[in-house]
Amino acid sequence: MLLGVLDHLPLALARAVLAALRGRLSALCWGLTPLVLPLLSWRRRSGPDTPAAPRENKDETVPTPTSVNYHFTRQCNYKCGFCFHTAKTSFVLPLEEAKRGLAMLKEAGMEKINFSGGEPFLQDRGEFVGQLVQFCKEELKLPSVSIVSNGSLIRERWFKKYGEYLDILAISCDSFNEEVNVLIGRGQGRKNHVENLHKLRQWCRDYAVAFKINSVINRFNVEEDMNEQIKALNPVRWKVFQCLIIEGENSGEDALREADKFVISDEDFEQFLERHKDISCLVPESNQKMRDSYLILDEYMRFLNCRNGRKEPSKSILDVGVEAAVKFSGFDEKMFLKRGGKLVYLCIEPNS
Ligand code: SF4
């Protein structure tokens, strides 16, 4: 029953509060966080129910890395045509170095971590991400620990071992038509992406992990009506992203993908949203929001600045510290707050 409440409450609450009291947003977010977090972190284990107190930021130009998306690998077993975090390197930090960086981020004010890729379950058959998830929950006691995955490599034994440390699992699904998935590049021979999604949904129920769906709306799925399938899966959140062009990743000479044929107009995106307006857990993400309001850390633990339409890396936090690196992240803290990121802790960048 509590999950049913979670389906609706945080977003509705966030929207109402943001609209009514925008001018006092920052103070208000912190004031309400203790009310909202216990609902989202309903499976409390060893960690506290409330986040650490907000850190004083002496230099207002340095954003606090409250919520971080750590793309620790670029390797993936899928070949989505619009992918904007492609396999340009095969580098993955040693586990202990990754933990050191995560501890530094916690020290700098991180409360939410999302692990993404590439495909996070590819590295060491899911052991690497499992160890990181356990570390962040058990040692760092972060209020929110999540993973974005394409779901194809997750097995039940992973949930048995690490499920208790994971708050949210977001699975990428762009279509409920397998032929469209193959056209997009989310296909693996005889494996059926949609069947797999239902299996993962059940495991999330069994192991008390909140289940989310991320969809990238593009030329091949923009006409699709997903109402029934999304309602049947009943995710706590359905994030709907507009296909995004990033120079050097999915467009341009040095890119590994050519995503131009996937791009849709703002009007097309709006029509898709209109068709699914009855789904209360839907959260739309336009291109502008995606560019400015995500704090992205790459495989070297460098912040990526996407503001100029390509990913420009900072120095690694492991070399220069979090504060020096985050200055170059291009992260717009106001945009992050505007879309309720701090309040509801459910912002997730769409790859993998
Ligand atoms: S979009 Fe995600 S699943 Fe698709 S190729 Fe990129 S990382 Fe892999």
Side-chain angles (χ1 to χ4, degrees), residues 24-278:
R24 299 167 65 190
L25 185 58
S26 183
L28 188 63
C29 284
W30 282 111
L32 286 176
T33 299
L35 297 178
V36 178
L37 271 177
L39 288 168
L40 290 171
S41 301
W42 51 281
R43 290 176 308 116
R44 275 305 98 204
R45 294 156 295 257
S46 55
D49 278 343
T50 50
R55 291 162 55 86
E56 259 185 46
N57 201 345
K58 290 178 201 131
D59 180 354
E60 288 190 353
T61 61
V62 181
T64 305
T66 315
S67 175
V68 175
N69 293 279
Y70 176 25
H71 297 246
F72 64 82
T73 178
R74 283 177 171 269
Q75 297 296 306
C76 187
N77 56 331
Y78 277 9
K79 293 187 170 53
C80 306
F82 50 70
C83 181
F84 55 84
H85 203 75
T86 51
K88 299 194 108 178
T89 79
S90 56
F91 182 80
V92 178
L93 275 172
L95 186 62
E96 290 309 313
E97 278 295 276
K99 286 182 181 175
R100 180 165 77 87
L102 290 165
M104 290 167 69
L105 287 160
K106 164 75 195 287
E107 181 62 23
M110 178 173 72
E111 292 155 17
K112 177 192 179 301
I113 182 72
N114 176 55
F115 296 104
S116 187
E119 171 47 46
F121 286 84
L122 200 55
Q123 182 70 14
D124 202 10
R125 297 181 170 204
E127 281 299 305
F128 189 88
V129 73
Q131 291 286 319
L132 292 182
V133 161
Q134 183 172 359
F135 175 73
C136 285
K137 185 54 79 179
E138 215 171 38
E139 303 284 322
L140 302 183
K141 302 195 187 310
L142 293 184
S144 177
V145 179
S146 61
I147 301 175
V148 181
S149 164
N150 65 36
S152 63
L153 302 172
I154 307 177
R155 303 288 176 264
E156 188 173 8
R157 63 175 177 270
W158 191 94
F159 279 92
K160 280 190 181 138
K161 192 168 176 186
Y162 297 113
E164 64 175 304
Y165 307 112
L166 183 66
D167 293 302
I168 305 162
L169 177 65
I171 300 296
S172 308
C173 176
D174 303 325
S175 175
F176 291 90
N177 178 342
E178 199 55 23
E179 286 171 18
V180 174
N181 280 326
V182 170
L183 281 175
I184 288 172
R186 279 196 206 278
Q188 269 206 300
R190 283 176 300 170
K191 275 194 188 168
N192 184 314
H193 188 72
V194 179
E195 272 176 26
N196 198 41
L197 193 67
H198 284 271
K199 203 164 59 180
L200 289 162
R201 201 315 158 225
Q202 189 55 46
W203 287 337
C204 282
R205 276 196 195 98
D206 296 345
Y207 293 89
V209 174
F211 176 73
K212 287 184 54 184
I213 298 174
N214 288 354
S215 300
V216 177
I217 307 311
N218 60 80
R219 180 52 49 215
F220 294 97
N221 64 2
V222 67
E223 307 287 343
E224 194 167 325
D225 182 343
M226 303 185 188
N227 280 291
E228 267 185 40
Q229 293 91 338
I230 294 290
K231 280 179 192 160
L233 285 161
N234 193 23
V236 295
R237 186 75 34 125
W238 181 30
K239 275 230 165 177
V240 174
F241 300 87
Q242 185 178 355
C243 182
L244 179 68
I245 290 289
I246 296 278
E247 258 323 281
E249 293 281 355
N250 61 14
S251 180
E253 279 181 13
D254 52 344
L256 296 182
R257 298 284 196 283
E258 280 300 331
D260 296 344
K261 68 174 180 184
F262 290 89
V263 171
I264 56 169
S265 66
D266 292 349
E267 291 74 32
D268 287 342
F269 186 58
E270 285 303 321
Q271 276 177 18
F272 182 91
L273 297 179
E274 176 64 23
R275 194 178 315 126
H276 298 92
K277 65 177 185 307
D278 292 337

